[in-house]
Amino acid sequence: MSYELIGISVLWLFLFGYIIIASIDFGAGFFNAYSLLTRKNHIISNIIQRYLSPVWEVTNVFLVFFFVGIVGFFPSTAYYYGTVLLVPASLGIILLAIRGSYYAFTTYGKLKSHFWTYLYGFSGLLIPASLSIVLTISEGGFIDNTSAGLSLDYVALFFSPLTWSIVTLSLTSVLYISAVFLTWYANEAKDEQATALLRKYALIWAFPAIITAGGIIVELRVHNELHFQNMLNVWWMFLLSGILFAATVYLIWKKRNYGVAFLLLIGQFLIAFFAYGISHYPYLLYPYLTIAEGFTNEGMAIALIIAFIAGFCLLLPSLYLLLRLFLFNKNYVQGKIK
Amino acid sequence: MDSVFYSRVLTELTLTFHIIYATIGVGIPLFIFMAQWMGIKKQDEHYILMARRWTRGYIITVAVGVVTGTAIGLQLNLLWPTFMQLAGKAIALPLFMETFAFFFEAIFLGIYLYTWDRFKDQKKHMLLLIPVAIGASCSAVFITMVNSFMNAPQGFEMMNGEFINVQPLVAMFNPAMPTKVAHVLATAYMTAAFILASIGAYRIIKGSNHIYHKKALLLTIKVGLVFAIASAIIGDFSGKYLAAYQPEKLAAMEWHFETEEEASLTLFGVLTNGDEIKYSIEIPYALSILAHGNPTSKVLGLDQFPKEDVPPLYIHYLFNIMVMIGMFVALVALIYIVGNWLRKKFVYKKFFLWTLVTTGPLCMLAIEAGWWLAEVGRQPWVLRGILRTEDAATTSNDVDIMLYLFIGLYLLLGIASVIVLIRMFKANPIERELRDREGGE
């Protein structure tokens, strides 16, 4: 495999990792705020807090890791995406900053106020929207390349159905992923009330998520013919992903094996995410930048890959320790130990 | 162009704000570790409690450090796309390693925070702090390597405006690296020490006469003095580095206009009409000693450089602020330690405690002044000798609006973090926490 393929595959995997844990995080914040609004917070707030507290910082690192990695492996992305994303990415940063710090302020600083819970919960939904704009732009058609430099065509972006499909997909899948995970987590905690409520949310959000995902494929047919054709070439991956979706929903419906259901859900999104990525190949930004054009020099690529492997030898055991102490520790999950 | 100006202001604003929290983030874990270690070694509950209380405050500063760090990481790409496209080919490695260090720290900090009562053996819990402290310091090391590359780019060849034959390790271990990294680490530990000391001194002034605060003061000030002395020695090496590799920065910060031997050092002073120095103190031979370690050696002056390559001369003031604060704080620390050792009463008198209170904020001011000096002293280059700042900025026209948004954000975060920190400790002074713990056991 060539270095650029290794690079993009690893980064794509990392982006996937971020999407899953950030979804859980954003969704959890939203459900927490929503339950406060509907006065059901006594049911699920504890579960959510116990999960979020030890991992909120790690979630943030995944994002940093992805954007440092992509600029490292593909420095030209800094030029293209950096120039055009100033406004949407800055808004994303501001929302992330407010969210991240207020989480810490309220949890550790005991800044108890409903206002912050709402701010935390609802800002979480705007972040996926502001970040998923990148995916829309990568499909091409929204950037003007003139002698004065690159600029983003906000009007075209705002009125494109593709934009809104991707935004809707990011919102619905955030809520779906999060609800499935929390159902499993609440069940592990032997908290029946919370499990029942979260299971309901999972079932409610499953169908909007799958319908918008399908809708995007249709949108692409109009917007980016090449990408659409490439997607048809990997139709079996999308089919497989669909089957896993059906299996997840079946298990949740039957109130069985929530852990397996969550794993199937990861599989569903992983396959769909990679099928989308593979069909986007070889473009990083259609039609300006391909993977080969944007790639860094060989010396840096080798150094980055070595650093990556070495770093992972440190990280994987540490992440495992974190999960063992909190996520997979029955006594902690059930609130018997702090 | 306007966007160049706004990009510079926004980057400066973000970094200035981030540095406050980042410096605390790098320095404090060392002290939490020391406190817990002493607590276990001496079997003294007070030190363990110190570690706990410092950690609680630390987590608030970490949160702001994390989010503003994410902001500056993204802003580098958003505001300086041309720079990142070019330099990314040479400095991606340390940037990448920085995130690894950060990752490592984040994981173990999470574990440390939530396992206070999990282990029977306190030593096990203390071990968790080692990766936190190492991760925090390593991220400072790696990110400073990136910055030193901007001052002394090497490890590549230029061809048609692109880097070829890049050697990532040569780029990382550039000549500016050793002094920069050492100075950043030493001053971060020093600043953290004096911030903790300021808090302790303030509590004693406010009437808390508990032995806990005296223990905390002695521990932090002792360590602070060691790092203050280290910072001064490394600062001297930095001067020699500048003379050899970045003479225009040294000449500008010392207001050294004409190349000469036996050069004297200009302290203080005001610059009028561009090149007339008033009210300054001249120390004979000192600049030659600072630059080359020899009182008679020749020091290059500003006359040797084309005007468009000379950094702004106001960096002289920043240099003075940094050095004077460093000296003052070291002196205060020395007086405290000697006075405490001789059991002199004056060290706990109000006037001296107030002097101690100023050391923390002063150190932070020195950190800011030092960074402004280092960064403005590199102007007009973003990559010294290769890429000018005005050619590196984004072409987007919306930077001004983003600047106002970020001003709002930093105001919000700054005020909120201070309020939260004050409330946290006001509501739960040490006497109360000790009482609560005794009641609980």
Side-chain angles (χ1 to χ4, degrees):
Chain A
M1 202 147 75
S2 61
Y3 290 126
E4 56 257 48
L5 257 184
I6 297 180
I8 197 69
S9 308
V10 166
L11 290 173
W12 200 240
L13 194 66
F14 248 87
L15 186 59
F16 177 75
Y18 177 69
I19 286 177
I20 293 296
I21 60 171
S23 294
I24 295 174
D25 185 274
F26 295 146
F30 174 78
F31 289 131
N32 194 26
Y34 180 74
S35 67
L36 189 67
L37 199 67
T38 53
R39 300 185 190 285
K40 288 179 183 160
N41 56 314
H42 58 281
I43 304 181
I44 57 174
S45 278
N46 267 338
I47 289 285
I48 288 174
Q49 290 277 328
R50 211 175 304 140
Y51 162 74
L52 280 182
S53 298
V55 300
W56 69 271
E57 210 190 345
V58 175
T59 311
N60 216 23
V61 188
F62 267 86
L63 175 68
V64 179
F65 212 97
F66 172 74
F67 74 69
V68 170
I70 194 153
V71 174
F73 277 103
F74 305 96
S76 297
T77 52
Y79 176 69
Y80 283 95
Y81 284 110
T83 307
V84 298
L85 283 177
L86 178 72
V87 176
S90 293
L91 293 177
I93 298 173
I94 290 173
L95 290 169
L96 275 172
I98 291 179
R99 226 181 102 82
S101 44
Y102 278 107
Y103 183 74
F105 292 171
T106 48
T107 320
Y108 308 107
K110 313 249 170 4
L111 193 74
K112 289 270 178 276
S113 142
H114 288 185
F115 174 68
W116 295 124
T117 311
Y118 290 136
L119 190 69
Y120 179 76
F122 295 106
S123 68
L125 288 190
L126 297 174
I127 296 170
S130 74
L131 297 182
S132 61
I133 292 289
V134 183
L135 289 179
T136 320
I137 292 171
S138 78
E139 295 296 341
F142 302 108
I143 292 179
D144 297 324
N145 194 357
T146 62
S147 56
L150 302 167
S151 60
L152 194 57
D153 185 347
Y154 288 105
V155 179
L157 191 64
F158 190 82
F159 288 104
S160 163
L162 182 67
T163 309
W164 295 106
S165 307
I166 291 184
V167 167
T168 319
L169 176 66
S170 67
L171 286 183
T172 49
S173 24
V174 158
L175 296 173
Y176 175 53
I177 293 172
S178 186
V180 173
F181 172 81
L182 290 170
T183 307
W184 169 70
Y185 195 76
N187 189 52
E188 286 292 291
K190 296 210 163 60
D191 188 336
E192 281 163 22
Q193 267 189 307
T195 312
L197 187 62
L198 288 159
R199 171 179 168 272
K200 205 173 83 192
Y201 291 151
L203 290 173
I204 288 174
W205 288 106
F207 290 95
I210 197 79
I211 288 166
T212 39
I216 285 175
I217 299 181
V218 179
E219 288 297 333
L220 275 179
R221 187 176 175 175
V222 185
H223 192 87
N224 186 339
E225 178 67 26
L226 180 70
H227 193 177
F228 179 72
Q229 286 302 328
N230 286 338
M231 274 183 151
L232 290 186
N233 292 338
V234 289
W235 61 270
W236 55 273
M237 291 178 85
F238 289 105
L239 180 71
L240 197 61
S241 174
I243 294 171
L244 290 175
F245 168 77
T248 312
V249 174
Y250 176 79
L251 285 178
I252 293 177
W253 181 258
K254 289 281 173 194
K255 299 185 186 171
R256 284 213 312 249
N257 300 22
Y258 291 127
V260 178
F262 182 64
L263 285 180
L264 293 178
L265 170 126
I266 299 249
Q268 174 214 332
F269 275 89
L270 184 71
I271 293 171
F273 195 67
F274 268 81
Y276 175 85
I278 290 165
S279 54
H280 204 282
Y281 183 84
Y283 289 101
L284 285 169
L285 172 61
Y286 182 85
Y288 297 111
L289 189 64
T290 65
I291 284 180
E293 285 161 1
F295 197 57
T296 187
N297 48 76
E298 198 178 301
M300 182 53 80
I302 296 172
L304 285 179
I305 290 170
I306 293 173
F308 199 86
I309 294 169
F312 252 67
C313 292
L314 269 179
L315 275 189
L316 284 181
S318 327
L319 271 175
Y320 174 74
L321 183 66
L322 183 75
L323 294 179
R324 266 237 358 225
L325 285 171
F326 301 107
L327 206 53
F328 300 138
N329 186 313
K330 276 229 148 63
N331 287 330
Y332 176 79
V333 174
Q334 293 174 7
K336 286 181 193 154
I337 50 172
K338 269 200 174 161
Chain B
M1 211 168 123
D2 259 343
S3 59
V4 179
F5 173 75
Y6 287 117
S7 296
R8 288 185 61 185
V9 177
L10 180 48
T11 309
E12 182 167 10
L13 178 75
T14 304
L15 277 174
T16 300
F17 189 71
H18 176 63
I19 283 166
I20 298 173
Y21 296 89
T23 304
I24 295 173
V26 171
I28 300 267
L30 183 74
F31 291 90
I32 302 176
F33 177 77
M34 276 192 237
Q36 205 174 351
W37 185 49
M38 291 191 53
I40 293 169
K41 214 179 70 175
K42 295 187 170 180
Q43 287 297 316
D44 186 335
E45 179 76 354
H46 289 156
Y47 285 103
I48 301 274
L49 212 60
M50 219 179 272
R52 266 191 184 226
R53 290 173 68 85
W54 286 345
T55 306
R56 252 183 257 145
Y58 176 67
I59 187 70
I60 300 295
T61 61
V62 165
V64 182
V66 167
V67 296
T68 52
T70 312
I72 188 64
L74 267 167
Q75 275 179 359
L76 274 182
N77 303 300
L78 299 172
L79 299 174
W80 310 97
T82 314
F83 161 69
M84 285 305 283
Q85 186 183 20
L86 180 71
K89 296 192 169 169
I91 50 167
L93 182 63
L95 266 179
F96 202 54
M97 289 166 82
E98 199 258 339
T99 53
F100 262 121
F102 174 38
F103 215 144
F104 201 51
E105 182 198 347
I107 291 173
F108 281 94
L109 186 63
I111 299 178
Y112 179 76
L113 278 175
Y114 283 85
T115 51
W116 272 106
D117 304 309
R118 187 83 76 92
F119 304 111
K120 282 253 149 44
D121 187 359
Q122 272 291 317
K123 267 188 203 144
K124 266 194 198 160
H125 190 234
M126 181 183 77
L127 289 180
L128 290 169
L129 268 176
I130 296 176
V132 176
I134 290 178
S137 293
C138 277
S139 47
V141 169
F142 292 128
I143 207 66
T144 311
M145 282 174 161
V146 174
N147 181 266
S148 37
F149 175 83
M150 294 159 82
N151 282 280
Q154 65 167 31
F156 57 87
E157 288 163 40
M158 284 293 272
M159 205 167 124
N160 304 328
E162 292 255 3
F163 289 177
I164 55 161
N165 293 336
V166 175
Q167 296 167 282
L169 288 179
V170 179
M172 263 171 86
F173 293 95
N174 55 69
M177 192 279 287
T179 44
K180 274 211 175 242
V181 166
H183 200 61
V184 164
L185 283 183
T187 52
Y189 299 140
M190 169 184 170
T191 305
F194 286 105
I195 285 177
L196 295 174
S198 292
I199 297 169
Y202 183 75
R203 291 307 309 160
I204 300 179
I205 293 173
K206 286 289 156 192
S208 171
N209 212 2
H210 203 280
I211 183 80
Y212 167 92
H213 294 301
K214 292 182 182 166
K215 285 179 185 167
L217 267 188
L218 195 60
L219 171 68
T220 52
I221 293 181
K222 263 187 193 163
V223 181
L225 179 64
V226 171
F227 283 112
I229 294 168
S231 307
I233 295 170
I234 300 160
D236 180 59
F237 288 140
S238 306
K240 293 180 174 49
Y241 156 78
L242 286 179
Y245 292 92
Q246 266 180 300
E248 75 281 7
K249 193 190 231 177
L250 185 70
M253 84 189 205
E254 303 292 3
W255 286 349
H256 189 55
F257 290 98
E258 274 151 41
T259 305
E260 60 181 353
E261 291 162 13
E262 302 179 1
S264 54
L265 186 71
T266 307
L267 274 186
F268 310 114
V270 179
L271 200 64
T272 49
N273 300 327
D275 60 353
E276 268 175 58
I277 305 171
K278 281 187 184 164
Y279 318 115
S280 69
I281 304 169
E282 302 272 326
I283 307 175
Y285 307 112
L287 185 58
S288 286
I289 296 173
L290 179 75
H292 302 286
N294 175 351
T296 59
S297 62
K298 187 162 86 177
V299 182
L300 293 183
L302 287 171
D303 54 352
Q304 296 295 309
F305 307 98
K307 236 188 160 72
E308 66 270 19
D309 287 354
V310 173
L313 294 180
Y314 73 79
I315 59 174
H316 177 74
Y317 303 116
L318 300 173
F319 176 70
N320 280 333
I321 292 174
M322 174 181 81
V323 171
M324 287 307 131
I325 290 177
M327 303 277 212
F328 172 75
V329 168
L331 187 69
V332 173
L334 189 67
I335 294 174
Y336 173 80
I337 291 169
V338 173
N340 191 66
W341 183 55
L342 296 174
R343 304 197 180 283
K344 296 281 182 202
K345 284 269 187 288
F346 77 89
V347 291
Y348 293 110
K349 284 274 182 318
K350 271 216 168 140
F351 83 94
F352 193 76
L353 286 171
W354 274 116
T355 317
L356 281 180
V357 171
T358 62
T359 56
L362 278 177
C363 281
M364 195 53 87
L365 183 66
I367 292 270
E368 298 284 7
W371 271 113
W372 293 329
L373 161 69
E375 295 305 280
V376 179
R378 191 182 64 231
Q379 293 308 317
W381 304 102
V382 62
L383 269 179
R384 183 183 175 269
I386 292 174
L387 184 65
R388 282 184 184 270
T389 309
E390 66 215 36
D391 300 325
T394 180
T395 47
S396 170
N397 294 321
D398 304 318
V399 188
D400 50 343
I401 307 167
M402 295 303 116
L403 173 65
Y404 303 130
L405 277 178
F406 277 100
I407 290 176
L409 174 72
Y410 299 144
L411 275 176
L412 188 72
L413 291 185
I415 295 170
S417 59
V418 170
I419 291 178
V420 168
L421 279 171
I422 291 176
R423 274 194 2 184
M424 242 165 131
F425 290 98
K426 235 187 180 159
N428 190 17
I430 181 68
E431 289 82 1
R432 187 164 149 196
E433 190 162 352
L434 274 171
R435 220 166 38 235
D436 288 352
R437 283 183 74 77
E438 274 158 26
E441 273 161 24

